[in-house]
Amino acid sequence: MFLIFKKNHLLIFIKLIAFLFFIFLGGEIFAHHAGEGQNMTSSTRFIDPFTGKREKPSDYLLISQDFQKGTIDNSNLYTTTVFGEFNFAGGKYAANFSAPWTYYEQKDRSDASRYGKAFVGAKWNPLIDTGWPFFIILEGRLGFPSGGDTDKFAGGDYYSGIANLTLGATWKQFLFVLRGSGIFPLSKDHANLDTQSGLPYWAQSSTTQNTETHPEIQKITQWFAYITYFWSKDFSVFGGLLYRTPYVNVIGGGSLLEEDSETQKKFPKAFKEASLGFNYTLTKGTYLTIAGRLPLIRDPEIRLYDYAITTSISFELPEWRDSSKKSEKEVDEFESEEDLEKK
């Protein structure tokens, strides 16, 4: 009964937070035209949402739901991602994986969904044994071809790599993190497409024309910084800034209004986004994270989306194992007491 009571309150709590985000950020919650019409998968923000992930190697599973409102494609995006990580050598190394699925809620055309690009990766925490109040994390990730049929897959039918360097420091009740990322292609895209419909907008080349069978894929540089304040052992708040270059580079197939030079001039060199959210301990080993994200470029003709909300629940595997063993022990002790009373 207690668990059912807590789950009901949790659902109400999540709905209330989401409602407050909608009120605060404004706008209708239905898809609409936000400017030029790009191809369907062009506005996917991240390979997988960051919210709820651990910086240091750990054992946990994460399920995240990312809602992106009013994208440049005239659609809302719902991206569900499963992420898992498992550490070795006492937390010095870790292996991880992720698999996304995206649903496109579209106005004046049928809704659609796509399987995204799956990734596997590895982390290294070289300063784990020093006891210092700061850390360095090196991470490499490999993205697999998502599939050649762009009616079923998004993210591009090519291999890609991600290199992350994360610097972090703790001070009193604060955590400071800075991450630099390089995202780059490892092969050509082999999707069956004429207008780069299988590529995210930030991976498309400005020199690519419709006639090219295998479009050239751009390299991406991305910086992300955030600060977390631990209000208590079960609750913390955080805020962050994202900086990515290029902002957008799509041309051909009517994707970027080639004839409108004035609109093209408005596009900045870099994409910038602010985020704000909180982490909350639901039960021992289970954590809820909710974050709101807002692009800082608000021009309706060129902004990639109005706002986004990411909700995730993570499960710490060691704590779940300990909790399970404790429950089994309590059951055994209870049964032993019952046996003694019967005797």
Side-chain angles (χ1 to χ4, degrees):
M1 286 296 294
F2 173 77
L3 290 176
I4 295 174
F5 176 80
K6 195 160 187 177
K7 286 180 180 178
N8 289 337
H9 278 69
L10 173 61
L11 290 173
I12 295 172
F13 181 67
I14 293 174
K15 289 179 180 179
L16 176 61
I17 293 297
F19 177 73
L20 291 175
F21 268 119
F22 284 126
I23 295 297
F24 175 72
L25 294 172
E28 298 177 349
I29 63 174
F30 299 104
H32 69 283
H33 199 290
E36 70 274 22
Q38 290 194 358
N39 58 71
M40 184 180 297
T41 61
S42 65
S43 293
T44 304
R45 171 184 178 266
F46 274 144
I47 288 136
D48 44 44
F50 70 89
T51 304
K53 290 184 180 178
R54 312 290 187 271
E55 305 299 344
K56 297 180 180 180
S58 183
D59 282 352
Y60 69 100
L61 291 174
L62 175 78
I63 300 175
S64 64
Q65 177 63 57
D66 187 67
F67 169 75
Q68 196 166 285
K69 171 68 179 70
T71 71
I72 206 170
D73 314 346
N74 188 25
S75 65
N76 294 330
L77 299 186
Y78 299 81
T79 302
T80 303
T81 303
V82 177
F83 180 92
E85 185 168 278
F86 309 93
N87 81 85
F88 308 96
K92 191 170 187 177
Y93 305 98
N96 54 48
F97 70 90
S98 64
W101 180 84
T102 301
Y103 178 78
Y104 303 84
E105 182 184 49
Q106 303 173 106
K107 183 180 179 181
D108 299 328
R109 49 183 169 169
S110 60
D111 294 350
S113 61
R114 300 288 188 276
Y115 295 101
K117 183 183 290 294
F119 276 80
V120 296
K123 281 183 179 178
W124 177 37
N125 181 9
L127 303 181
I128 187 173
D129 299 321
T130 63
W132 295 340
F134 57 87
F135 57 88
I136 299 174
I137 304 295
L138 298 175
E139 181 180 19
R141 307 196 71 201
L142 173 66
F144 294 91
S146 58
D149 185 353
T150 55
D151 289 333
K152 295 181 180 179
F153 302 99
D157 192 31
Y158 63 94
Y159 287 95
S160 63
I162 301 177
N164 293 329
L165 171 62
T166 303
L167 306 177
T170 57
W171 179 71
K172 295 184 178 180
Q173 292 175 277
F174 292 91
L175 169 66
F176 304 89
V177 174
L178 173 65
R179 180 187 302 116
S181 300
I183 308 172
F184 47 89
L186 299 177
S187 69
K188 288 185 176 294
D189 181 61
H190 296 284
N192 300 321
L193 50 93
D194 294 322
T195 59
Q196 303 186 345
S197 61
L199 295 177
Y201 69 89
W202 44 259
Q204 301 188 29
S205 172
S206 60
T207 60
T208 301
Q209 303 298 323
N210 292 352
T211 55
E212 292 193 36
T213 306
H214 305 303
E216 182 183 353
I217 304 165
Q218 288 184 317
K219 297 178 181 178
I220 307 301
T221 301
Q222 185 167 276
W223 294 93
F224 180 56
Y226 69 92
I227 300 174
T228 299
Y229 175 72
F230 294 91
W231 197 289
S232 68
K233 67 182 183 67
D234 292 326
F235 183 79
S236 62
V237 294
F238 61 87
L241 289 173
L242 172 78
Y243 180 93
R244 183 185 61 233
T245 182
Y247 179 88
V248 61
N249 245 337
V250 183
I251 196 167
S255 296
L256 185 61
L257 298 181
E258 296 176 71
E259 299 81 8
D260 191 345
S261 59
E262 291 301 317
T263 300
Q264 285 188 335
K265 289 178 183 177
K266 292 182 181 179
F267 279 85
K269 292 183 179 180
F271 173 77
K272 302 172 186 177
E273 178 189 80
S275 58
L276 183 67
F278 67 87
N279 301 288
Y280 176 69
T281 303
L282 298 178
T283 61
K284 184 178 180 181
T286 307
Y287 305 93
L288 169 70
T289 305
I290 297 180
R293 308 197 316 272
L294 191 70
L296 300 182
I297 303 298
R298 305 304 298 166
D299 188 328
E301 290 187 352
I302 62 174
R303 70 173 176 234
L304 303 178
Y305 51 91
D306 292 345
Y307 62 86
I309 299 173
T310 301
T311 302
S312 68
I313 295 181
S314 61
F315 307 92
E316 293 285 350
L317 300 183
E319 294 186 23
W320 270 69
R321 284 195 292 265
D322 293 344
S323 178
S324 176
K325 290 179 181 178
K326 185 178 179 181
S327 298
E328 291 177 359
K329 184 179 179 181
E330 289 176 349
V331 170
D332 291 340
E333 291 176 350
F334 179 75
E335 290 177 347
S336 298
E337 290 176 0
E338 280 191 330
D339 292 338
L340 289 173
E341 288 177 359
K342 289 177 180 178
K343 291 179 181 179

